Amino acid sequence: MLYASRTVTGAESPFRCERECDLEARFTCRSVTFLEAEAVCLLSSESRASVPAPALRFHPRALYSQKNCREPRPPGLTTHAGLSTGSTTTPGFTRPPSPAAFCSFERTVGVELRFVPRERLPSRSPVGVVGACHRECLRVGSECRAFLVQYGKFQSCFWLRDAALENKEALIPANDFAYFEKVCYRERPCPKLWAFERVPGHVLQMRATREFPHVPTRVDCEELCLRERCRSAVYLYRPRICRLYSGATRRSHPSSFQRVPDHVDYLENQCVPGGCFCDDPCSPTSL
């Protein structure tokens, strides 16, 4: 798996890797790669279903394992523009009066930010540099608005003085990159390395649990999701609508996860309990 977020050394077997994946607390571990010759585990928040095919690459004496989720029958109604309805609409949106004081990150895989100066961060580890990048970006403070991780045999990290924010056109496809944008909330999200995973231009074709109109920004939609403890959300930019899904994600309902031409973002909450993000419970042998 190309998108490795953490390296575990001294692994004597793939069972050790699976155990490390189950115990990982800084991100939701969904797959592991055991490199027998190096005695190394590569832990990733991604699986085959959520990344492009080139992300899974051949490596001699390597064993890839992932957590699998079965898909329940999706409810919901489909309307115009490929977007679902039938949700409970909450009238109005009130922005909390307190300032945004607690910062985390939003992760977008397979893109990079163009036309922005970048500074490379030194790393002691050739793979699994996300944790070090995260710490350095927070240490730098307001000067670091986002960071990029370039994946490959050796990973590189670059911190950025600017961010895409609501400008979707600033992000360009780049399979070997993941873009981490700093976002600040009014309530503390969770201690994970990133609070949300973002997939631009995608929706869940199913009934939303709740719908909020007049939501000014994508980050406001994420705050609603954190407050309501939803598992995922869809933000529609032009009508400024936030749709929350209490028990569904792109992984638990893969056939409902579809690309649409509208200016929308799919947002997956990493701060809710239950690492599998499935309707079925996780077990230590689920890899």
Side-chain angles (χ1 to χ4, degrees):
M1 171 60 70
L2 178 67
Y3 302 110
S5 297
R6 181 188 164 208
T7 303
V8 178
T9 58
E12 65 280 359
S13 72
F15 302 106
R16 164 74 187 282
C17 296
E18 293 176 8
R19 181 64 175 162
E20 291 289 339
C21 187
D22 283 330
L23 294 175
E24 178 56 55
R26 292 178 295 176
F27 59 91
T28 302
C29 180
R30 296 186 177 92
S31 68
V32 295
T33 304
F34 174 56
L35 305 180
E36 183 181 9
E38 296 92 337
V40 164
C41 305
L42 304 180
L43 276 59
S44 176
S45 63
E46 302 298 333
S47 63
R48 285 181 296 180
S50 61
V51 294
L56 200 62
R57 301 178 179 181
F58 173 78
H59 190 286
R61 298 174 65 185
L63 177 65
Y64 170 83
S65 303
Q66 70 177 34
K67 293 182 177 179
N68 292 312
C69 299
R70 290 182 297 176
E71 180 186 5
R73 184 185 300 274
L77 303 171
T78 301
T79 61
H80 61 89
L83 301 176
S84 61
T85 185
S87 57
T88 301
T89 302
T90 303
F93 167 77
T94 303
R95 186 191 299 271
S98 57
F102 301 104
C103 295
S104 183
F105 288 86
E106 179 190 74
R107 180 176 184 253
T108 309
V109 172
V111 300
E112 69 165 312
L113 185 62
R114 59 179 177 177
F115 308 136
V116 174
R118 60 189 66 180
E119 185 171 328
R120 185 168 182 167
L121 295 173
S123 174
R124 297 180 181 179
S125 175
V127 179
V129 302
V130 175
C133 298
H134 176 276
R135 289 191 298 272
E136 183 64 16
C137 190
L138 291 179
R139 187 194 68 80
V140 170
S142 59
E143 289 189 42
C144 180
R145 303 282 302 281
F147 66 88
L148 286 168
V149 173
Q150 184 175 17
Y151 295 92
K153 186 175 181 181
F154 300 99
Q155 295 181 357
S156 299
C157 176
F158 307 88
W159 67 273
L160 312 174
R161 297 179 184 272
D162 206 350
L165 302 176
E166 301 289 292
N167 183 10
K168 181 181 174 182
E169 303 303 321
L171 298 175
I172 59 172
N175 285 337
D176 289 354
F177 281 85
Y179 170 70
F180 295 77
E181 184 170 310
K182 185 184 289 183
V183 287
C184 296
Y185 306 106
R186 292 163 184 81
E187 297 181 11
R188 192 182 301 276
C190 65
K192 291 189 176 181
L193 295 178
W194 58 92
F196 280 88
E197 293 182 352
R198 174 190 176 196
V199 186
H202 284 72
V203 298
L204 284 176
Q205 296 276 24
M206 58 186 300
R207 186 192 306 269
T209 307
R210 297 189 69 181
E211 181 176 289
F212 291 84
H214 315 302
V215 179
T217 69
R218 182 182 75 250
V219 175
D220 288 317
C221 185
E222 291 177 354
E223 286 209 89
L224 283 170
C225 187
L226 289 170
R227 190 176 72 195
E228 299 289 329
R229 298 177 66 82
C230 80
R231 288 200 177 272
S232 64
V234 170
Y235 182 66
L236 289 70
Y237 283 83
R238 289 189 179 90
R240 303 209 176 277
I241 290 175
C242 178
R243 290 179 176 164
L244 306 184
Y245 300 85
S246 62
T249 70
R250 55 179 170 149
R251 295 178 171 88
S252 66
H253 293 73
S255 65
S256 299
F257 183 66
Q258 297 181 19
R259 178 185 291 275
V260 293
D262 305 69
H263 192 188
V264 301
D265 278 341
Y266 167 82
L267 309 164
E268 191 167 295
N269 188 358
Q270 304 301 295
C271 293
V272 290
C276 270
F277 287 80
C278 301
D279 290 342
D280 300 319
C282 279
S283 68
T285 59
S286 60
L287 283 155

